[in-house]
Structure formats: C-alpha cells, structure tokens
Amino acid sequence: MADQTVFPPSTQPNALLLLLVAIDRPATAPIGLLTILSGLLLSQIILLLHLSQSLFLYNLHRAGEVVVALISICLILCMPLRDPSLPNDYIGPAYDKPPHLLRSPEDNLTLWQFMSVSWMSPLISVGSTRQLNSEDVWQLSFQFQHRVLHEKFRELGGSVVRRLLSANGLDLLILLCLGILEALSNFAGPVLLQQLLRSMEDTLAPRSRAITFALLSLSVRLVACQSSVFSLWYSRRSYERSRGEMITMLYEKTLTRKIIGETALPSVPSTSGNESDSADSRTLTKPQTSLRAAAKALRKFGQHFTRASWKRVPSEAEKQPASIGMMCTKFWEFQTIIRVPLSLVLSIVLVWKLIGWPCLFGVVTVIVAQSVNVPITRILLRYERERRRVTDGKLQKVTQYVGAIRHLRWYGWEDFWQERIMQARQQELRLFVVTALWRNMINVANYLASGLFPVAAFYAYTALAGQPLRIDVAFPALQLFAMLENSLRAVPNLITVLLNANIAVGRIEEFMNEPDKDDAFSKANPWRRPKLLLQDATFVWPGTTHYVLRNISLDFPVGLTVICGKVAAGKSALLQALLGELERRGGDAVLPDDVVGYCAQTPWLQSMSIRENIVFISPYEENRYRQVLEACALTQDLATFKHGDLSNIGENGIGLSGGQKARVALARAIYSRAKILFLDDPLSALDHQTAETIVSKCLCGPLTEGRTVILVTHRTALVRNVAQQVVEISMGNARVIDKGTLPISEASEATLTGPTDEAKQDETEAVDEGAVPEKFIEEEKRVHGGVKAAVYWEYVKAGKLKWWAVLILTLALHRLVGLGETWFLKKWGEAYDRPVERVAASGFFDDLPSPEINIRPWLLGFASLAVIQAAVFFVSLCIMVVIVYYAGRQMFRDVMERVSHATFRFYDVTPVGRLMNRLTSDIGTVDGNISLQFQNVAFLAITWISSIVVIASVTPVFLLFSFALTTTFVVIFLRFLPTSQSLRRLEVLAFRAQSSFQDRIITVTDAFQQMDHFYWSLQAWLMYRFDALSASSTFLLTLLALYRGVSPGLTAFVLVAASGFVDSTHALCKQYGQLQMDFVSVERVVELLHLEQEPAGSIHPPAWWPSYHGEIVFENVTIRYAPHLSPSLTRISFRIPAGSMTALLGRT
C-alpha cells in the first residue's frame, strides 16, 4: 500500500488522453497531446529509475506504459501538420529529389519533419554529390511568395509599423512564447548542475538521484534545442516576409513618387540618372531617375537610404539614414525583446538565491567597466568618423579611377592615380589601426570585467560573508554570473537597437508619405483628356525654390512636336515636367492617365540581349518588331552580329557604338504601345544619313501614326518640315515658332540639307560574323566546392608568417590560463574537505593553505589568473590588428597594380559595378570579418585539442567516445557545407539575375529569397543535429563520470571541459563554414591578382619623343578586340602625316 501511495498508478492520465483522442479525433498532429505525453514519459522514466529491483518487477506494467507512451509520441510525430484533405498537387514531396516547378515541402510536412528539418534531406543529398543549380531548388512555400504577400500587404491600412505588425503578428506572438521557453530552459541548466553536484557530494544519496538530474538536464537541453529550431524558423519567416513586404512596398513607392531634390526629406532612397538640361544647371543638383533608385534599393536592401544628391547639405549630413534591414532584423530577433529582460530577472533571482547579496559586488565590476568604456567609446567614435571620412575619400578616388581607367592609361597617368589611391589607403589603414586599438581597449575592459565578476562576488561570499565556496556553489555560480553579465550588457544594446529602429521607421514613414507623381495632376485636374496641355504652368525641381520653367502654355497635338533651344535652356526639364517629375508651383497641367514611352538623353540599356532590351516588358510581336528594326535603321547593324538581335550587350550598352545605343533605346520606345512618346535628343549621336532614315521611316512612318511624339533635338533642319509644331525653349520660357524659321543658334545646320555622295552609297559590305562577341560581358565565375587552400595561403602570406606563429602561441597560452583558472576553482572547492591536515604537494595549487584558515591566497590567485587571461586576450587582439594591417596593405597594393595594368579586354568584359565591388566590398571584408574568423577558428581548434587532452587524462575511455562524437559532428557538417556554399552562391547570382522594375520585382525578390530561405533552413537542420548531439554527449559523459566514481570536483571540471569540447566542436564546424563563406571575398580578390597583364614593352623612346615631325604609319595591320575573336580591322594601310588634321568617315 505504501508503494502505491508513493507511486500512484498512471491509468487515469492515460484514460483521459484516450478520451480526448476519441472525442477530438484529430486529422493533424495534436501538439497539446504531444506535450502531455512527453511529460508523462519523462516522469515515468524517472519513477522507474527510483524503483528497487523487486518493485520494478512488481510494477512491470509501468515499463509497458513507457513503451505505450513512446509509441504514441512516435505516431503523433508522424501525423501531418496540414489537413490531408487539402490538395497537394503543387507541393514537392519531402523525401524525393527537389522538383524545381513545385513548392517547398514546408506546405505539407509531418510534425517530425518540421521539428527535425529532415525535409531538407533531398536537397542536402543533391548538394553533397554535385554543385547545386537554381533548377535543383524548390519554389518558395506559398506563405513566403511575394506576390501573395504584396497583395495582402497593400490591402492593410495605417502606418508602416501597424501594417507590418498586422501582417506578422502571429509569428511575433509565437516568438515571444518561444523566447520565454528558451530563457527558462537556459537558466534551468545551472540549477540542475547544482543539484547534480550536491547529489554526488551526498554519499548517502543513491546514484539514481544524480542520474535523474542528468536526465532532467538532457531533457531541458533538448527542449532548448527544439525551441531554437522553432525560433529560427518563425523568426526567419517574420523577417523574410516583412523584408519582402518592405521591398515591394518601397519599390512601388519609388516608381510612383515625385523626385525629391536637395532640400527635401532626408529618408529618400538614393537615386541616380542622366544629365538633363536645366535653366540653372550650374547651381542646382539635378534629380535622378526613379528606375536607378529602384535598382539600388533592391541591390542594397537592408542598407541605408540616403537622399538623392551628389552634393550634401550640411544640415542633412548629421542625420542618420533609414534602413530596411534595421527594421526587419528586429522581426528576426523579436524574441530578444522578452528574452533579454526575462533573462536579467531570472539571473538576478537565481544568483541571489545561490550566493545572496555578494553577487552585487560582481555587478559593480560590470558597471565600472561600462563606465570606463564611456570615454573610450567617445574617443573611438571620433576616430571612427574620421576613418569613415577617409574611407569615403578613398572610395571616391577608386570610383573615379575605375570609371576613367581607360583614358588614364591612354594618357599614361595610371601610376600617378595609383599613388594617390595608395596614399589614401595608407591613411585609411592608419586610422583602422587606431580605431582597432581603441576597440580592443573596450573589449579587454569587458573581458576583464567578466573575469573579475566572479572574483568580486566570491570575495564577498567568502571573505565578507564567511561562506565556504564549495563545488556545488562555485561552478553553477560561474554559469549564472556569465548569464547575468550578458543580460546586463544586452539591455542597453537592446534599447539602442530599438531606438535606432524607431528612427528608421520614422524616416521610412516620411518617405512613404511623400506625394506621388500622379497625385499633383489628379488633384489639380479631376478631368482627363487624351492629350498633353500646359496652361501658364511654372515648375521647379522638387525640394528647391528656383524656377526651371516659367509660365508655360503649350498644347501638344497628335503628331510630332519638336522642342529646340540652346544647351541648358530647359528642354529636358520640359519632358520631366510632362512626366510629372517636377513640382508645379502655378498654372494648370493636364497629363493623360496612360503609359508613356520615354527615350532618355543618355541611353539606358540592360545587360541582356538586344531583342530583350527592345521588347522590354511588352509581348513579342514578330511583324511589329521587324518594322521597328527597319524604322530605327538597326537591320544592317544586326546583320553584322554573330547572333543578330539575340546577341548580348553589356551594362549600359557596352559593346555598342554611341549611335547603336541611341537607336536601340529609341526602338524600345517605338516598339511600346504607348500613345505618347518623349524622345530626348536621340539623333545627336547619329550620322546624317542614319538620322535622315530615322526621321523618314520612324518619326514620319506608320509606327508613329496617331501617337503624340515630343522630340527634343538640336537638328531641327531634319524635322522642321514634318513637325506639327516647333517649340523653342529659352531661359525657362517656351514659345511656338514658325516651322519655316529656324532659331539663330541652329541656322548653321540648315546647310546640311542632304547626304553626301558617300553617305548615299549602299553600305552593304559584308562584315565577318565573328566581329561581335556572343557576350560583351563575361559572367562572374561561379566557383565550385570549397575555397581552395591556395586562397588561404595567399592571405596568410600577406599577413606575415611570423605574426601568425605569434598569434597561435598567444591563443594557446590564453587557453592554458583558462584551464588553469577552472582547475584552480576545482581545487578551491575541494580544499574545504581537509581544513587542518595538509598533504604533501602533489599537483598544481596543492601547497596553498586551506581556505577556511586563509582565504586570501585563493582570492589573489583567482584574481591573478583572471588578469593574466585578460592581458593575453588583449595581446592576441593586437597581434590580429598587425596581421590585418599587413594583409590589407599588401593585397590592396597588389590588386591595384594588377588592375591598373590589366589588358583592355578585361575592362570590356568586366562591368564597372563588379570591379568596384571587388575593390571596395571585398577589400572591406579582408579588412574586417576575415581576421576575426581566422582568430576564432584557431582558438576553437586549440580549445578542442586541449579539451580532449584534459578529459582523456581523467577518463581514458573518453578518447573512444570523443573520436566517435567528433566523427559524427564532421560527417553531419560535411553533408551541410557543400549545400550551404551552393545556396549562398546561388543567392548572390539570383539577386543579380534580373532587372529591377516593379513588374519584375516580385520575381526578383522570390528568386533571391528562395536561396536565402533554404540556406537558413539548412542552418536550422545543422543546428538541430548539433544541439541534440551536444546535449546527448554531455549526458553520456556525465553517466561515465557517475559510474566511474569520479569526485564531484573532478566531475565539475570534466563537465566544464566536456562542455568546451562539445561547444568547440560545434562552433569549429560552424566557424569554418562561416570562414569559407567570408573567404569567398578573398577568393575574388585573389582572382584579380592573376589578371592577364598588358606587355610592358621593350622600346624606350628618346626624351624628344613625341615630336611634330613624326608620322603615324599603318602597314597591312589586322586588329581584333580579343585573341578568340575575328578581326575588326583587316589588313589596313594608311599614313597620317606629321602635324596634319585627319577626319575619319563612315556609317554609324
């Protein structure tokens, strides 16, 4: 009877569960039932551990109940999370090869697949055998697709924050609950460790009691592991969805907002565009095109939004830019809002319960360290601002140099510019060293405070309160001290981040509240007419007060209207006003609500085929397309291209002549179905014959019939007889002039009434098809597999081998001191067992007196070890600064040298943006994250080796266990790494794959988010396995210590070392993966070190060269753009006499 009283039968809970299942009959996995069964299973296992052998046989049915509960849990884990009756035709299977056209299995998972992220296994299997391609990856889950998100987000009302909270509120609520669960699980660890050590110290307590606490520790760590996986998935979902909602929202706004000038609101996304004529272009910073703003916003989402201006106004320079990333990251880390304050409260309560008021002495060390850091931080910020200013100056020089590198090399000025850049780089590195040293002082102050925190608390606990520092107090206290210290530091950081996010929200709200282009017209003119009309209208650039156009009264009829005038008279500004980009300050304006075709003064072309540039977003129509090619005089040009109109062109039309660029851009506007066409001087880059062809076949042909065409041009002689009206712009004023009367400024062109005999000839000479390459821009190389050892070696060599050797020795010393500190604490706790009688010194610290007799040597020793460890830590940081300085200086110098003397073909096939990214972003990675990653990998490797040595010296059987554990870690990681690298590289390629417009932004964002989403799902897959393996290995090691009769102090020491081993194994794998990711930047930099170089030449001209008596002679010369291309000029011979002026003639 007594046994039944102690251990009541569990048939009632089981019967209740059966009743719940019978009533509910769930078709999907019942999460609540799973939670109850898991609790019952754990309690039944613990009860079985405490039963005697005879009682165990008597209660055999309890073991059966454990088996039944386990089977029930397995059945629930195999149940789906989605209603099985719903269709799943477009959802990919969870355990089959990922089909590219189907959605992610996340839409139809079982509970176990979701908990263990095992649905990623098919993708991992493919990635571990070969390089992944975009066709190997599922489509995004329905709940992540941006078309659905954007449409739902547009329907929400209120501010941006309210809309984000409404769209993602459920995820945020789940994250709050998971944050609470994670905090409770983390703080349960030290409490259970204390109970475990007390059970081991109590010689009368049965071993099952210690095993119970070890089992509870395992359970808590597994709960924390599962909570971390759920937190990552839900936080990523809220982050990805909010980021996508923000991107699509801002794009929609960017493409419709009025351009803001120099004095406008500060949160406008940066824009750029073409030079346009203005009445006062010398004093105004001209606004830029919204399309470029959109492109930059997508490429750099999460980066800062700044104003559209090359010239910065002092009042705006102090304002911080807004950031999408700053806002969306808080959704990713939303659980910290509850976890950080809760952790602070729990740590204070548990530390106070463990040692009482002495913990306040430790808190004082943290407060003192933060106080010391305040003036250091101010100094650091001053130098950091100076460093950023110098870095901006260097980037400006690099940008100018890369943009003009062809011309600088033609004039032989590259060495002079390279010297200027290296001077700026040296100044940047000098300030980098200064800021790094001040930052290291902050780090070492925090590190020293971490070491002195337990010193001060233990001093008060032992010397002032007179309490013995036993094992069951010391080691749990160390864990709680670290948690309390982290919480104290996290609170001000959390407040700062929330304040910054609030500022970002305010600036984005400001941007979203700016007026749209169409609003100004629709409010002033509720009536619409299918024509353009300006009535006494006055315009300024938005954000400025200077009038650009004054009192304009124009009616634009169907047909051709020619806009002429002097340079900077305001012709392009008139087109901008008709587009709604200028701010109207008076009069009326009527703008039809219809699509407008626009051909900019500087042709804007994308890096794609010529056909794709012309067709743009319109459907392809064969007959119309051929008519446009003929009307724009492109047929003959395309005949010279190897692949005709399917030939790819480079960024902004690289590979095309100026006239070809203008005609392709014109063809795009003509091909569109827009009833209104704005053509900004497309004839300026054309020869006379081609221009006449354009006027006769295009502007006067059937393709423009019934359309309103407004043409800005200086060549009025070609179009005056076919124009419906001619408008002259002068000093911001407009007047309609007689078509037969040319402006004085353009009368000279009237003599060009017809083409010359040479121009009239039919230029039908065949051109070799190979003259034009298939692609003008070479695609960025996609490296397969991991980063090669040669790349690491290049970086190591640049940082000087002797400094790397010193760093490794310093890190080894740091680890040795850390082990000594832990061993010292173990000796301190065990010394209370022999207060009077001393044994002969047989090991480290055995010659110290009993702490009950004299506590001072123990306190001084513990404090000395903490100070020494902080000093070694500071030295290692300083050595790393030296390595980064040498590596950054050497690699940048070598890269600039190679780029400056590369072949001109390299400049042809490499976009400026890509080269700038190598010289700025990748070099920035070399200066920053790489050094920290290298240092962490080295320290973790040393920690891993030392942990194995320490534990194996206590429990030799651990060597076999550690080998098995390490092998398991490595096998899991090697399955993870190739797939993660492929997804990361595919993410970059997908992000740059398409052009940036509102009609394509959904596809673009989906393509980028697709790789990013599955990369982080892969991280969750790895995290679950590593965390579960870590928890299990710690539990097994604890059992080893219990069954081998190791002392409590030695057990605590071994557990600390085991924790270091498991954590370092886990972290080493992840850190190595991160190092591989970051080293992709170094890999791209190293590629530049192997560029093909132009021959230096062996002829040294005399001092008098060049002279006025030298001639230029070509004799039977054949020239090609690249060795693999056919000749562009074949067997040409000519002579240019000295001092003569020579004209080159020929068709565009």
Side-chain angles (χ1 to χ4, degrees), residues 502-749:
N502 183 59
I503 294 173
V505 168
R507 296 184 183 276
I508 292 179
E509 289 280 11
E510 254 184 325
F511 175 65
M512 292 300 299
N513 291 330
E514 290 181 14
D516 291 335
K517 291 185 293 185
D518 294 338
D519 290 348
F521 290 93
S522 60
K523 291 179 181 178
N525 303 279
W527 49 279
R528 296 282 185 179
R529 288 170 38 178
K531 58 185 290 189
L532 300 176
L533 178 64
L534 299 177
Q535 295 179 346
D536 200 27
T538 298
F539 296 93
V540 298
W541 292 116
T544 65
T545 58
H546 188 87
Y547 293 136
V548 180
L549 299 171
R550 304 181 186 86
N551 304 321
I552 304 295
S553 295
L554 293 173
D555 190 352
F556 300 91
V558 175
L560 179 62
T561 296
V562 175
I563 310 296
C564 60
K566 294 182 179 180
V567 175
K571 302 184 295 298
S572 295
L574 178 60
L575 296 185
Q576 295 290 323
L578 295 174
L579 285 170
E581 299 289 357
L582 299 190
E583 184 176 333
R584 182 167 49 83
R585 290 297 180 87
D588 292 325
V590 178
L591 182 68
D593 188 9
D594 200 357
V595 177
V596 174
Y598 179 59
C599 179
Q601 190 177 41
T602 300
W604 176 81
L605 301 174
Q606 302 173 85
S607 181
M608 54 176 56
S609 71
I610 296 174
R611 177 184 293 183
E612 289 173 319
N613 271 284
I614 295 175
V615 174
F616 200 46
I617 60 175
S618 303
Y620 177 72
E621 301 176 26
E622 178 70 23
N623 292 334
R624 180 178 178 83
Y625 178 73
R626 296 300 173 189
Q627 293 175 1
V628 170
L629 294 183
E630 181 67 25
C632 295
L634 284 170
T635 304
Q636 185 174 343
D637 296 83
L638 296 179
T640 67
F641 292 2
K642 181 178 180 180
H643 296 284
D645 63 341
L646 297 181
S647 300
N648 284 309
I649 60 177
E651 185 180 26
N652 286 328
I654 291 178
L656 300 181
S657 68
Q660 289 170 336
K661 294 178 186 178
R663 282 178 285 146
V664 171
L666 175 64
R668 179 175 55 205
I670 298 297
Y671 182 83
S672 71
R673 290 292 183 175
K675 292 296 184 182
I676 298 176
L677 301 178
F678 295 154
L679 310 179
D680 196 348
D681 207 5
L683 305 178
S684 61
L686 307 181
D687 63 86
H688 192 78
Q689 179 193 5
T690 307
E692 280 191 331
T693 302
I694 297 293
V695 172
S696 61
K697 293 186 178 182
C698 181
L699 301 181
C700 301
L703 289 171
T704 55
E705 185 176 351
R707 304 168 85 173
T708 301
V709 181
I710 302 177
L711 172 68
V712 172
T713 184
H714 292 282
R715 307 177 74 169
T716 54
L718 294 175
V719 294
R720 61 177 178 175
N721 295 325
V722 297
Q724 294 294 320
Q725 68 176 356
V726 178
V727 177
E728 182 185 20
I729 304 294
S730 178
M731 302 298 294
N733 297 306
R735 66 185 181 94
V736 179
I737 62 174
D738 185 4
K739 292 190 296 181
T741 304
L742 286 177
I744 296 176
S745 61
E746 302 178 19
S748 60
E749 195 173 341

Side-chain angles (χ1 to χ4, degrees), residues 13-56:
N14 291 332
L16 180 60
L17 293 178
L18 290 174
L19 180 62
L20 290 175
V21 173
I23 295 174
D24 190 33
R25 306 184 69 178
T28 59
I31 307 299
L33 183 61
L34 176 67
T35 305
I36 296 174
L37 281 172
S38 301
L40 287 175
L41 176 64
L42 179 62
S43 63
Q44 288 167 353
I45 292 175
I46 294 175
L47 288 176
L48 286 175
L49 288 175
H50 288 271
L51 292 176
S52 65
Q53 185 68 19
S54 59
L55 193 57
F56 174 78

Side-chain angles (χ1 to χ4, degrees), residues 809-839:
L809 292 175
T810 306
L811 292 176
L813 178 61
H814 179 271
R815 175 58 179 165
L816 183 62
V817 175
L819 287 174
E821 189 176 27
T822 307
W823 184 261
F824 184 88
L825 194 62
K826 175 250 183 191
K827 286 291 187 179
W828 188 352
E830 290 179 339
Y832 287 97
D833 296 332
R834 44 178 187 265
V836 178
E837 185 178 330
R838 300 300 300 168
V839 298

Side-chain angles (χ1 to χ4, degrees), residues 38 42 46 180-193 212-228 479 483 1027-1028 1030-1032 1035:
S38 301
L42 179 62
I46 294 175
I180 296 174
L181 178 61
E182 194 171 343
L184 293 175
S185 300
N186 290 336
F187 281 94
V191 175
L192 293 173
L193 176 62
T212 299
F213 289 114
L215 183 62
L216 288 174
S217 298
L218 172 64
S219 302
V220 167
R221 290 193 62 177
L222 290 177
V223 169
C225 164
Q226 196 63 70
S227 175
S228 299
Q479 292 186 1
M483 292 179 175
D1027 288 351
S1030 300
S1032 302
F1035 173 70

Side-chain angles (χ1 to χ4, degrees), residues 914-930:
R914 184 192 303 172
L915 184 56
M916 280 300 303
N917 185 58
R918 303 278 182 93
L919 297 176
T920 55
S921 177
D922 290 339
I923 290 293
T925 303
V926 172
D927 290 345
N929 294 336
I930 291 295

Side-chain angles (χ1 to χ4, degrees), residues 892-911:
F892 186 80
R893 180 193 294 116
D894 293 344
V895 164
M896 289 303 303
E897 182 71 23
R898 303 295 292 185
V899 170
S900 298
H901 298 91
T903 61
F904 280 86
R905 176 65 180 168
F906 171 75
Y907 307 138
D908 290 337
V909 300
T910 305

Side-chain angles (χ1 to χ4, degrees), residues 849-867:
S850 170
E852 291 187 342
I853 298 176
N854 186 3
I855 193 64
R856 181 170 296 178
W858 296 96
L859 290 171
L860 290 177
F862 195 50
S864 300
L865 289 172
V867 173

Side-chain angles (χ1 to χ4, degrees), residues 27-30 75-84 108-111:
T28 59
L75 291 176
I76 293 176
L77 292 176
C78 294
M79 294 180 69
L81 292 172
R82 181 175 179 263
D83 192 339
N108 189 24
L109 294 176
T110 65
L111 180 58

